Amino acid sequence: MRDVYLVGAGQTPFGAFPDRSYRDLFAEAYRAACDGVDHGIDAADVDEAVVGTLGVGGRQLGLSGPAVTEHVGLHNVPCSRVENACAAGGFAVRNAVQAIKSGFADVVVAGGYEVMTDLSDDVTKYWLGVSGETEWERLTGTTFSGVYAQMASAYMTEYEATTEDLSRVAVKNHANGATNPKAHLDFTCSLEDAVEAPTVADPLTLYHCCPTSDGAAVAILASEDVVGEYTNDRVRIAGVGAGSERVGLAERDSYTGISASQVAAETAYERAGVTPDDLDFAEVHDCFAIAELIAYEDLGFCEPGAAPGLLRDGTTEPDGDLPVNTSGGLKSKGHPIGATGTGQLVEAFEQLTGRAGDRQLENPQYGLTHNVGGSGGASVVHVLERERAADETGVAG
């Protein structure tokens, strides 16, 4: 099967935008992605489009994919919608990769969007809750913060982790987000701020929870046969993996790991021919602070129970051995559900092509993105590789 390359990626700022529509946001992200293509691209080049969205609030429930792609001139391009809760954007990219690898398309637009801040808190909780186990979680009053609080309590009990360990996630990601002009919560916080913030669902405080956000993100992918027409920066989608798990937390074997993420990561590493030790950075799904700790272990960064140590010793800081969530993550950058997974690819593209500004890491080659739906019912992992040019390595990339 053919190799697939990320030739352009862009996003809107994530935040609260009461005067903007979902079509307007998608159009901005699409233009940003096109602007990032070295040699340019237009609608006539695109063979297919995939759009991820939950459809929060009930806007354009049917044909929501074509509703946004027609707005950017892709009305003659086949378009489908992906809904996998918070992993919708990541699965949109996976579907684009599959379309290119299969030979059905050479150039595919994969994007995602969500408008979440124009609803009341009660209605927003309803729409978020439908991505959990409907009968035994949402209809009995459990929110996602409550579900992740159960995961946090189980983890803290099993591994003797502390509230300070959860809070270090917030401190790190807010510091990273403060350098990201697209971040929703672009301010720093102290360990004391995070520990002493109001409780949302014990043991999770306000600073352990990501915001609900508006925004859109778009990635443009091309086959190995045509990539040279569009870019000089060879960012290869080296490996993709996905997994699914029981939707309800009570139905699972463990509260301290997400098997869908474990399967997705193992598959992505195998297909990319790498191990976690080869990674230079990662964007992981930190909808709640406990989710980042669990991700470290599910993705093979450390053994079970060892995740707090990576935070304590600075391993996942920007100057550490494995920087995590240089964008600010969901915690600081924001979480417009359908755009989140594709937005992770935007950060990876910018890091691997040297376009990350104040967040730029030194000469990264491999990056990983990890996007989870619900409390772990679906997960998708992408491993991306910057292929070195001949003038950098002495041999053709």
Side-chain angles (χ1 to χ4, degrees):
M1 291 186 287
R2 300 183 300 175
D3 277 335
V4 180
Y5 291 84
L6 183 58
V7 300
Q11 66 167 82
T12 66
F14 290 174
F17 308 116
D19 297 328
R20 302 192 63 180
S21 73
Y22 68 100
R23 283 173 162 154
D24 176 38
L25 290 166
F26 186 88
E28 180 181 339
Y30 177 73
R31 288 192 298 269
C34 291
D35 289 345
V37 179
D38 292 333
H39 307 319
I41 192 167
D42 58 42
D45 298 329
V46 179
D47 299 311
E48 192 163 334
V50 190
V51 176
T53 181
L54 179 63
V56 171
R59 60 181 60 76
Q60 194 59 47
L61 285 179
L63 293 178
S64 55
V68 292
T69 54
E70 71 176 12
H71 194 62
V72 297
L74 299 177
H75 48 276
N76 291 321
V77 174
C79 179
S80 56
R81 171 195 173 188
V82 174
E83 186 284 295
N84 242 353
C86 312
F91 272 88
V93 175
R94 178 177 181 263
N95 285 9
V97 170
Q98 291 177 318
I100 292 172
K101 281 188 172 291
S102 71
F104 268 52
D106 275 315
V107 177
V108 181
V109 168
Y113 72 86
E114 217 72 64
V115 174
M116 304 176 67
T117 65
D118 62 341
L119 304 173
S120 70
D121 290 344
D122 286 342
V123 173
T124 299
K125 285 189 291 186
Y126 171 86
W127 278 100
L128 292 174
V130 299
S131 298
E133 213 291 333
T134 300
E135 293 176 290
W136 300 107
E137 289 180 353
R138 182 175 65 77
L139 293 183
T140 57
T142 304
T143 63
F144 267 123
S145 55
V147 170
Y148 274 94
Q150 294 176 64
M151 297 167 75
S153 294
Y155 188 95
M156 293 167 73
T157 299
E158 185 167 349
Y159 298 118
E160 298 184 352
T162 67
T163 302
E164 285 78 8
D165 293 321
L166 296 175
S167 299
R168 287 186 180 93
V169 174
V171 173
K172 172 180 67 69
N173 291 350
H174 272 282
N176 292 343
T179 67
N180 185 352
K182 301 294 179 66
H184 187 168
L185 305 181
D186 57 349
F187 52 83
T188 61
C189 75
S190 68
L191 192 64
E192 183 181 17
D193 290 334
V195 171
E196 296 185 358
T199 298
V200 174
D202 189 43
L204 301 179
T205 74
L206 182 64
Y207 274 90
H208 300 153
C209 309
C210 74
T212 54
S213 309
D214 306 331
V218 169
I220 302 173
L221 289 77
S223 74
E224 65 181 53
D225 297 332
V226 302
V227 61
E229 299 176 19
Y230 300 106
T231 186
N232 302 320
D233 291 315
R234 294 296 186 98
V235 176
R236 185 170 71 98
I237 310 292
V240 182
S244 295
E245 167 61 297
R246 294 173 180 88
V247 174
L249 188 61
E251 300 172 285
R252 300 181 197 163
D253 295 331
S254 173
Y255 281 24
T256 60
I258 295 174
S259 65
S261 293
Q262 295 161 11
V263 170
E266 290 169 5
T267 304
Y269 291 141
E270 180 180 358
R271 289 174 174 168
V274 302
T275 71
D277 290 339
D278 295 308
L279 299 176
D280 297 300
F281 66 91
E283 288 286 303
V284 308
H285 197 93
D286 62 320
C287 49
F288 297 90
I290 184 60
E292 181 161 327
L293 292 175
I294 290 173
Y296 291 178
E297 299 170 13
D298 289 338
L299 299 171
F301 300 167
C302 63
E303 294 299 315
L310 298 187
L311 286 159
R312 293 171 192 163
D313 66 18
T315 295
T316 56
E317 295 284 346
D319 59 354
D321 290 338
L322 181 57
V324 174
N325 286 339
T326 54
S327 70
L330 284 65
K331 177 64 198 76
S332 174
K333 181 184 178 183
H335 185 28
I337 290 178
T340 293
T342 314
Q344 293 176 327
L345 270 288
V346 175
E347 179 70 11
F349 180 75
E350 292 182 348
Q351 289 289 353
L352 291 169
T353 59
R355 309 179 194 195
D358 292 340
R359 308 184 312 285
Q360 185 61 52
L361 301 173
E362 184 177 354
N363 206 28
Q365 182 173 1
Y366 286 104
L368 175 145
T369 66
H370 161 250
N371 192 198
V372 175
S375 61
S379 182
V380 58
V381 171
H382 294 86
V383 174
L384 299 95
E385 175 192 12
R386 179 191 170 198
E387 292 187 348
R388 305 297 181 182
D391 60 355
E392 294 179 89
T393 63
V395 296

